[in-house]
Amino acid sequence: MSTSDRFLAAALAFDREGSPSQAELARGIAGDATAVAVVDRAEEARRQPVLVLAVCRWLGAPLGPWSALRPWLLARSDDVVAELARRLTQTNDVRRCAPLSVALARVPGPVALLEVGASAGLCLGVDRYGYRSGDRTWGDPSSTVQVRIDVATAVVGGTRPRPELPTGPLPEVTWRAGIDLDPVDVRDRDQVAWLETLLPPERGDRLALSRRAVALARTAPPRLVTADAVDGLAALAAEAPSDATLVVVSTGTLVYLPGRRRQAFVDEVGRLGARWISYERRDLLTDVVAEVPPGVSADDSFAALALDGRVLGVGDAHGTRLHLTA
Ligand SMILES: C[S@@+](CC[C@H](N)C(=O)[O-])C[C@H]1O[C@@H](n2cnc3c(N)ncnc32)[C@H](O)[C@@H]1O
């Protein structure tokens, strides 16, 4: 996909996510050959619209309109390209804990939780949050972090069965740790500021949720190791207590690994004999085969939720809507 097409596709996604300012800027870049040439000076993996716009904001760019960002971008192009080389898309989306919690509830505790691509480790707090779908609640109802998700099931024989959702607390997590190429330390103001810059400027609700999760994580910061998801997995897994079930988690991360490395990751999880929960792009992994149930839109089947490669359902990119199939 060309950079221009990437920004056009992102503009549509920003519109859907309730970020018209980012949609306008993405369209502006997509339609401007000079701006595209600036982005193309960054290495391919860093040309992601979310990352490019976050780097611009981080460096003090105007939030819009495009007619204001364009001269800024051209004047600061060297700084933008240099900053892009230092940064990764580290958006830590607490909302993905909702589908994660649905799968985790199916694993008997106690659990040793190991997340690859953990960013700030906010998803490692999955058992410390409360969840709601319609009139159903699970997790910790007294938590300061409450996450909503719409869970549906397919109609069978004219009726729609109630989805198989967790009830009560999630399995006890006795050990938790994460791996990331560039972990975010929740105790570090600057690093948390970068995390917040990756959020759409209009989504005060997402910012508030992230801040509540960061505040909770600061009370017991997760162990985060700087390493590659494949190369660092076995060493960190070796630290997990042997009396807990090791559960490896990957959400919105494997897309950043080149194809062969994704398979190497899946093979490594198999070698460790660990359980594996994934919430990744539906068509990303050859070992996770997810059908799109009839009537479910492309947006709502962007990701597949799987436990040990067995698909439990499909959902949107952020984990706010889940269609359970198992
Ligand atoms: C989009 S974030 C997702 C964070 C979190 N899993 C979530 O769902 O909110 C992807 C994370 O993966 C990390 N990452 C990218 N490539 C990686 C690799 N090869 N090994 C470990 N972490 C990686 C990035 O630094 C980033 O923090």
Side-chain angles (χ1 to χ4, degrees), residues 189-263:
R189 274 170 187 268
D190 250 26
Q191 293 187 33
V192 171
W194 167 245
L195 204 62
E196 294 184 351
T197 306
L198 286 159
L199 296 174
E202 297 91 338
R203 293 297 303 269
D205 57 332
R206 287 186 61 184
L207 179 62
L209 183 66
S210 178
R211 286 188 172 165
R212 284 195 291 274
V214 165
L216 190 57
R218 280 181 176 150
T219 64
R223 168 156 159 65
L224 298 177
V225 171
T226 304
D228 171 76
V230 183
D231 300 337
L233 187 57
L236 188 56
E239 293 180 23
S242 56
D243 57 356
T245 302
L246 178 62
V247 179
V248 175
V249 169
S250 67
T251 64
T253 288
L254 299 183
V255 69
Y256 297 101
L257 272 59
R260 273 202 311 253
R261 297 291 286 168
R262 275 177 221 143
Q263 191 55 48

Side-chain angles (χ1 to χ4, degrees), residues 88-93 96 115 117 119 180-181 228-229 251 257:
L88 295 168
T89 309
Q90 288 168 299
T91 320
N92 204 178
D93 202 332
R96 292 198 187 116
E115 184 183 9
S119 181
D180 202 288
L181 285 181
D228 171 76
T251 64
L257 272 59

Side-chain angles (χ1 to χ4, degrees), residues 73-94:
L73 177 63
L74 301 192
R76 300 286 304 274
S77 58
D78 289 349
D79 297 335
V80 169
V81 173
E83 192 67 20
L84 279 172
R86 283 194 284 270
R87 298 283 178 185
L88 295 168
T89 309
Q90 288 168 299
T91 320
N92 204 178
D93 202 332
V94 177

